[in-house]
Each structure stands twice: as C-alpha cells, then as structure tokens.
Amino acid sequence: MNLKVLILPGDGIGVEVTREAVRVLEHVSHKYQHTLEISEALLGGAAIHQSGTPLPDKTVELALKADATLLGAVGLPEFDNVPPEKRPEKGLLGIRKALGVFANLRPVRTYSSLLESSPLKNHLIEGTDMIIVRELTGGIYYGTPRGISGEGAGTTAVNTMVYTRAEIERVARMAFRLARGRRKKLTSVDKSNVLENSQLWRKVVTEVAGEFEDVALDHLLVDNCAMQLVLNPRRFDVVLTENMFGDILSDEGAVLAGSIGMLPSASIGEQRESGAWVGLYEPVHGSAPDIAGQNKANPLGAIGSVAAMLEYSFGLKQEAEAVNRAIEFVLGQGRVTADLKPAGAPATTSEVGEAVCSAI
Ligand code: NAD
C-alpha cells in the first residue's frame, strides 16, 4: 500500500516524540513492504516563528493532499500572554477544521507492566481495552444562540446543545464500523432522561444499529457511564458519545492507563477515493516545556498514534498490532522514560523509540 503521510512535529517535546514515531512508521512500513510518502510542515509556535501564523497555507495544502497527518504537540511559553487567535494552539483547531475530522477516537488500554501507575486497583482495570468515540464538531461547544447578556442579578448566560440527524448518523456509523472490527459491542452514552437533544441522539443511534446487526448496542446515561468507567471498565468495547460528554469521559478514561505520555488519539473524517480515511493522529499530551529538548519525553503516545493511523486510516490491522505488541514488550522490559520510572535509571526518548523498532 502507498501511505501518504504528513508530519507536523510542532513545538517542544512534539518534535522529539514525533521523531521516534516516524522512525517506527518507517520501520513498520519497510517490514510489511508498504511505500511511505512522507512530507513535513510547520504548525504552532514553530510556524509563527518562520511565517508569522500558527497554520500556514502550505501546511493546510499538504494536509489536504495527505491521507493521514501525524502531529506532535503545539505550544510555547513565550506565547502564553498573547491573544488566543495569535497563539500556537490556534493552529491545532485550524488543522482539525481544515481536515473536516468529526470523530475523535481515544483508545484506552491498560498494560500489565503499568498497572501500578493507575490510581485504580489492579483487579478492576486489568484487561481494559476500549475506544471512546467523541463527536468533535457539534453539540454545545458550537451551538448558537450563545453568549452572556443582561446585568446584575438578571445576567444570563446561554449555550445551545444542537445536533442534526446527519451529524449523529455519520459518527454513529463510524463507531459501529469500529465495533465490528473489535468485540462487536457499542455503548451509546447520552442524557436522554433530561435532554431532548439526547433523545434524538438515542433514536438515531438505535436506527443506525439496524445497519449493523452483528454489533450489540446498549445505552447508558452519562452519569452512570462516568461511574461504570471506574467501577467496571472492562465492560466497555466502543463507547460513542457527543462532544461535551466525550470531552469529559475521555479524560476520565485517560487516567485508567497511567501516564499522560502513553495516550494516543485519532480524529477521523471522510473516506478518500484512495480508500484511506482522512485522519489526524496525535498524542494526547501537550508540548511539555518543562522537559522539552532533554530527550526525556515518553514517545509511546506518539508511537501509539502511529498504530492508530495504520489501523484507522489505512485499515492495516496486522501492522497496527505489531506496533502495539512492540510497545507492550518494551514496557514489559522496563525500558521506559522517567514519567513511568520514578526510581532507577530511565531510558531516553530515542532509546524507547529504538527499542520499539527492535521489538517490531
Ligand atoms: P502538557 O501535556 O504539555 O504537560 C503536562 C505535564 O505532563 C508536564 O509536567 C509534562 O512534563 C508532562 N508530560 C506531558 N507529556 C509528556 C510525555 N510525553 N512524557 C513525559 N511527561 C510528559 O500540558 P501543559 O503543561 O498544560 O501544556 C504545555 C503546553 O502545551 C501549553 O502551551 C499548552 O497549551 C500546550 N498543549 C498542547 C496540546 C496539543 O498540542 N494537543 C495539548 C495540551 C496542551
């Protein structure tokens, strides 16, 4: 297969973790005889320095040509006090919008060698393996009317949670397709006992389920889901929910796995003529200025994002599994960065990348 990938290292540790992720991508492509067509562009603070804007036109142009984009992280302390529209983070929202990605996927899995890093008891989280699918472009974060009006005790703030049938259908289909390739269980999360918006959500998801009869669908109210995620995380396979609920639940899910440096994420849009699904892949963490430039950052979130790219954009499940197994192997060997190894000699960012390549 020809894998057309754009790399956006961004700022701070984004540059360091992306270097290792690319190394792994090259390694796995070579091993499984895929051709890799890589381009690289600027985003965030690095782009502001070179071209005065966090998202140069050239970057958007290359992203639209690529099938998948791998992003490090953006953000530099020198921009902390500038207005939001001039900050590096503006580039992140811009690239998501330009690519039209509407579903955010957060795989949450626990690794046996890292169970001690989780705040939950081992017997509760061992074997957890789920994906939270969050709708990314609609809901209360974007709905209008919105704003604050009035004065004094009557000051009123309004936000609007709005979804169309079409928006729910497309993200639901994506979640069902994912479930079909996994354990065939989908849990749709809403607040249909209170919100009309959630009533439509539940109705449409139930209708879409008719197209996927091999997938078992259940519905959970969001408050119960928040509880079940820590009481019985193994019960979940694919969790589907709207934007704000997903924002909150995916951070709750993130805690199950241990360090923030471990977590990959994927944002997916429409399918291209080539068959690939447009996707933006990035570790969940930021640019970590406190450890940037020191070869200390954990690259496994970025490397896990490569596995997600292989699976979700290119449908290369075997290759993705090879990367995930290599991550597990390296963790089992204790070759981990300082965030996972408070005592003893930690490995460097590049040593972990090298170890993952050898394990593949
Ligand atoms: P952060 O994720 O960068 O760092 C939080 C803490 O986690 C820090 O102590 C950091 O050292 C540690 N950490 C993060 N990733 C790590 C890794 N891979 N290995 C080891 N330790 C790791 O969040 P922050 O400090 O709140 O933000 C720093 C900058 O990053 C800000 O400019 C922020 O706006 C930006 N940011 C960007 C993204 C993104 O690009 N997607 C996400 C979050 C924050």
Side-chain angles (χ1 to χ4, degrees):
M1 196 169 182
N2 186 41
L3 314 180
K4 222 170 155 187
V5 178
L6 172 66
I7 311 295
L8 302 174
D11 306 317
I13 64 165
V15 179
E16 298 162 61
V17 298
T18 312
R19 192 180 299 133
E20 301 315 314
V22 170
R23 193 177 351 183
V24 170
L25 180 61
E26 285 171 345
H27 197 80
V28 80
S29 305
H30 184 253
K31 172 155 188 195
Y32 288 86
Q33 300 180 346
H34 301 294
T35 11
L36 193 56
E37 221 182 293
I38 286 189
S39 51
E40 189 172 319
L42 293 165
L43 184 80
I48 299 177
H49 282 155
Q50 287 223 5
S51 64
T53 162
L55 179 60
D57 292 345
K58 180 80 190 158
T59 300
V60 174
E61 195 186 303
L62 286 169
L64 292 175
K65 279 191 195 148
D67 289 323
T69 298
L70 180 69
L71 169 62
V74 296
L76 290 175
E78 67 192 85
F79 296 105
D80 278 354
N81 298 318
V82 307
E85 65 280 6
K86 293 198 173 136
R87 287 175 62 109
E89 291 82 348
K90 184 82 183 163
L92 203 59
L93 301 177
I95 191 80
R96 287 179 185 152
K97 190 161 179 220
L99 286 171
V101 287
F102 59 83
N104 182 247
L105 275 51
R106 286 264 203 110
V108 178
R109 57 190 292 193
T110 50
Y111 295 94
S112 41
S113 48
L114 285 187
L115 292 179
E116 292 304 330
S117 339
S118 171
L120 298 189
K121 294 193 175 85
N122 288 359
H123 74 271
L124 284 178
I125 52 162
E126 192 163 18
T128 296
D129 181 2
M130 73 177 102
I131 296 189
I132 300 178
V133 179
R134 163 190 172 193
E135 201 289 329
L136 205 55
T137 58
I140 198 162
Y141 293 168
Y142 296 97
T144 52
R146 63 184 299 158
I148 303 179
S149 59
E151 281 179 14
T155 310
T156 304
V158 173
N159 288 97
T160 305
M161 187 183 253
V162 57
Y163 271 108
T164 62
R165 167 178 281 277
E167 284 172 322
I168 303 170
E169 276 177 1
R170 68 178 181 177
V171 72
R173 285 204 180 94
M174 176 164 298
F176 275 107
R177 272 196 299 269
L178 272 173
R180 188 169 255 177
R182 294 171 49 94
R183 301 197 304 280
K184 299 187 169 43
K185 272 190 66 183
L186 190 141
T187 303
S188 175
V189 177
D190 61 44
K191 187 71 183 167
S192 61
N193 54 341
V194 181
L195 301 173
E196 284 80 0
N197 196 273
S198 282
Q199 286 161 10
L200 179 67
W201 181 276
R202 190 173 283 215
K203 181 171 186 288
V204 175
V205 172
T206 306
E207 282 169 22
V208 173
E211 301 167 26
F212 298 86
E213 283 177 354
D214 52 331
V215 177
L217 167 69
D218 69 339
H219 300 276
L220 268 191
L221 295 176
V222 62
D223 38 352
N224 189 12
C225 181
M227 222 164 41
Q228 296 303 324
L229 273 175
V230 289
L231 285 176
N232 186 13
R234 273 191 301 260
R235 87 181 277 296
F236 295 107
D237 180 12
V238 176
V239 177
L240 164 67
T241 192
E242 64 87 47
N243 203 344
M244 180 171 65
F245 298 161
D247 191 1
I248 299 166
L249 294 177
S250 58
D251 271 17
E252 189 187 352
V255 181
L256 304 177
S259 166
I260 189 173
M262 290 294 304
L263 298 166
S265 87
S267 302
I268 318 276
E270 304 290 351
Q271 194 169 20
R272 287 260 163 86
E273 266 177 29
S274 64
W277 292 83
V278 171
L280 178 65
Y281 298 85
E282 52 186 316
V284 166
H285 63 77
S287 57
D290 53 336
I291 56 165
Q294 298 172 39
N295 205 11
K296 274 186 182 170
N298 184 347
L300 293 178
I303 293 172
S305 300
V306 165
M309 172 189 289
L310 292 166
E311 180 167 358
Y312 305 135
S313 268
F314 299 113
L316 299 173
K317 228 175 151 154
Q318 200 187 353
E319 288 79 344
E321 261 164 33
V323 175
N324 282 327
R325 269 201 314 272
I327 292 176
E328 191 145 18
F329 181 78
V330 168
L331 286 170
Q333 284 187 321
R335 301 185 71 182
V336 294
T337 42
D339 52 315
L340 297 176
K341 198 167 202 167
T348 61
T349 310
S350 36
E351 281 166 352
V352 172
E354 225 171 85
V356 172
C357 287
S358 310
I360 289 171

